[in-house]
Amino acid sequence: MLKALNLFKIKTLLLIASLLVLSGCFPSNDLGRKEYLLQGNTMGTTYSIKVVGENIDKAKLQQGIDAELMQLNQEMSTYIADSELSKFNQSTSLEPVNVSMGLARVIKEAIRLGQLSNGALDVTVGPLVNLWGFGPEYRPETVPSTELLNTTKARIGLDKLVFENNTLAKKIPDLYVDLSTIAKGYGVDLVAEYIEANGINNYLVEIGGEMRLKGFKHTGELWHVAIEKPLSTERAVHQIIIPKDNAVATSGDYRIYFEADGQRFSHIIDPNTGKPINHKLVSVTVIHPSSMTADGLSTALMVMGEEKALAFANEHDLAVYIIAKTDHGFVEQSTVKFMQYLK
Ligand code: ADP
Ligand code: MG
């Protein structure tokens, strides 16, 4: 008998190192700049945005950001039954359908990263996610049977999803696309682009732990970000990084999982085995200009496990920092490209 003992829905793996009081606006300094804090909810999590400038109309900016995020949710949330993606998932037609610009952008990157990672990142893995109880559908009481696992595995694979000329088509009627692994990162990019389009070039955008930053704080210092210690019981700083004008994404299975008979089941599925990942890698942090790319890569590397992840990161010249669990505690390793960001 298996019981879902421990499910932590909150996944904010990164903390802003400099803890600030929760007022809407911070005092100006010699530079005449102010820091404005915008907070809200989206994609089943929270967002926290800091913008730095002079005379920013905070309410108007937040309205614009919320509108962008609402549209994103209406395009690709699997929790909204009539979202564009949900309708595609519900349909059993094999005919190509036109997709919105936003959905096209995310699908294209999902397919690119899926191929690059040799299938470690697979946005058609949804039926397996649901089977293991981490999707919007249901939470199972038992570990699925091998037979059910195999029939479900037959329903997944990026080769069954065709994206061409801004149209999307299924090759099997019950293909299910779940973009949750890169949608938050895309949301961060969307918000960052919106902020820049409004003439603001100093900001920090964070949605559910995914971040993108640019420029400076109101004090004139660079933004600092902390990688958390990989513990599900407490929140503490493990390593401070200075990512400069980049996005930071962390994938880790120590906040969202369930436990059964002493075994821990991650919410990240290895598409090759059809099972939740089960190795010593506990967190992967990626720094990249695009939050969507960083988000997808962090999950892909998490699926690969320690050795493959480091080999892949070096081969593709990626800025990656990993924490693995050993008998002697946590051991961290970073690629050469990541080292410039370590404080
Ligand atoms: P993390 O930040 O820990 O990588 P995310 O929330 O970004 O986690 O992504 C995990 C979610 O992505 C899961 O809840 C599931 O819906 C989906 N998922 C799980 N395994 C995979 C995979 N191999 N490829 C793509 N998506 C996955
Ligand atoms: Mg991710």
Side-chain angles (χ1 to χ4, degrees):
M1 185 62 186
L2 189 133
K3 250 181 148 187
L5 292 178
N6 231 332
L7 186 87
F8 297 90
K9 262 275 152 189
I10 316 148
K11 200 219 78 175
T12 307
L13 302 178
L14 293 166
L15 283 178
I16 301 143
S18 48
L19 290 176
L20 296 163
V21 270
L22 297 179
S23 85
C25 168
F26 298 93
S28 71
N29 61 3
D30 310 348
L31 304 166
R33 295 204 205 107
K34 284 181 186 168
E35 188 169 295
Y36 302 80
L37 176 66
L38 285 59
Q39 289 177 304
N41 297 296
T42 186
M43 293 183 248
T45 182
T46 57
Y47 70 72
S48 175
I49 298 162
K50 288 176 187 172
V51 288
V52 176
E54 293 162 51
N55 303 318
I56 292 172
D57 186 341
K58 186 184 146 176
K60 191 166 161 248
L61 186 70
Q62 189 154 14
Q63 249 175 29
I65 288 170
D66 283 336
E68 294 276 333
L69 292 171
M70 286 266 280
Q71 191 186 337
L72 182 159
N73 275 286
Q74 202 51 47
E75 285 169 356
M76 56 199 81
S77 171
T78 48
Y79 289 81
I80 299 175
D82 68 349
S83 74
E84 191 184 352
L85 185 61
S86 289
K87 284 184 191 157
F88 176 77
N89 282 335
Q90 286 151 19
S91 161
T92 51
S93 164
L94 303 184
E95 290 299 310
V97 292
N98 288 313
V99 285
S100 64
M101 264 168 59
L103 192 55
R105 204 174 142 189
V106 178
I107 292 274
K108 250 167 86 175
E109 183 64 355
I111 292 174
R112 186 184 77 85
L113 294 176
Q115 289 167 346
L116 191 73
S117 68
N118 233 323
L121 189 81
D122 188 337
V123 293
T124 69
V125 83
L128 286 167
V129 174
N130 290 336
L131 185 68
W132 287 97
F134 293 105
E137 277 178 24
Y138 69 102
R139 196 153 300 289
E141 288 288 300
T142 54
V143 172
S145 68
T146 313
E147 199 194 340
L148 192 54
L149 201 63
N150 287 337
T151 52
T152 311
K153 264 182 81 178
R155 285 175 57 197
I156 72 157
L158 278 176
D159 55 324
K160 301 177 182 73
L161 182 68
V162 185
F163 179 76
E164 251 171 25
N165 308 319
N166 285 321
T167 65
L168 199 58
K170 299 175 172 189
K171 280 195 172 171
I172 55 164
D174 56 354
L175 191 75
Y176 180 95
V177 178
D178 171 9
L179 295 174
S180 54
T181 189
I182 63 169
K184 267 184 291 167
Y186 170 65
V188 169
D189 284 333
L190 207 62
V191 171
E193 285 161 15
Y194 183 83
I195 289 171
E196 284 188 33
N198 279 271
I200 302 166
N201 286 300
N202 298 291
Y203 60 78
L204 184 154
V205 176
E206 182 262 329
I207 302 177
E210 309 305 337
M211 283 190 184
R212 183 165 145 179
L213 23 143
K214 189 171 184 186
F216 301 91
K217 300 202 276 190
H218 70 296
T219 55
E221 293 164 284
L222 286 164
W223 301 101
H224 290 199
V225 168
I227 298 172
E228 276 192 359
K229 281 198 194 306
L231 306 166
S232 56
T233 46
E234 64 171 279
R235 315 195 90 160
V237 173
H238 191 76
Q239 171 73 50
I240 306 276
I241 52 174
I242 305 174
K244 307 228 178 89
D245 295 357
N246 278 305
V248 188
T250 298
S251 175
D253 74 335
Y254 48 97
R255 281 271 157 68
I256 307 178
Y257 62 89
F258 71 89
E259 251 172 37
D261 304 329
Q263 225 198 316
R264 225 158 118 153
F265 290 88
S266 166
H267 71 304
I268 296 173
I269 308 288
D270 182 344
N272 281 316
T273 61
K275 294 176 183 172
I277 53 165
N278 184 17
H279 49 57
K280 303 275 180 229
L281 192 50
V282 287
S283 112
V284 178
T285 299
V286 178
I287 296 183
H288 191 277
S290 155
S291 179
M292 171 162 61
T293 305
D295 196 1
L297 284 174
S298 67
T299 304
L301 293 165
M302 193 68 197
V303 171
M304 291 177 196
E306 189 182 342
E307 264 171 49
K308 274 193 194 160
L310 279 175
F312 181 90
N314 284 319
E315 185 193 340
H316 296 279
D317 197 26
L318 302 171
V320 173
Y321 177 89
I322 65 168
I323 306 177
K325 199 174 180 176
T326 72
D327 296 341
H328 324 286
F330 296 114
V331 172
E332 52 283 307
Q333 274 175 281
S334 71
T335 61
V336 173
K337 194 160 183 183
F338 196 94
M339 285 175 188
Q340 61 184 308
Y341 306 116
L342 293 171
K343 195 184 158 156

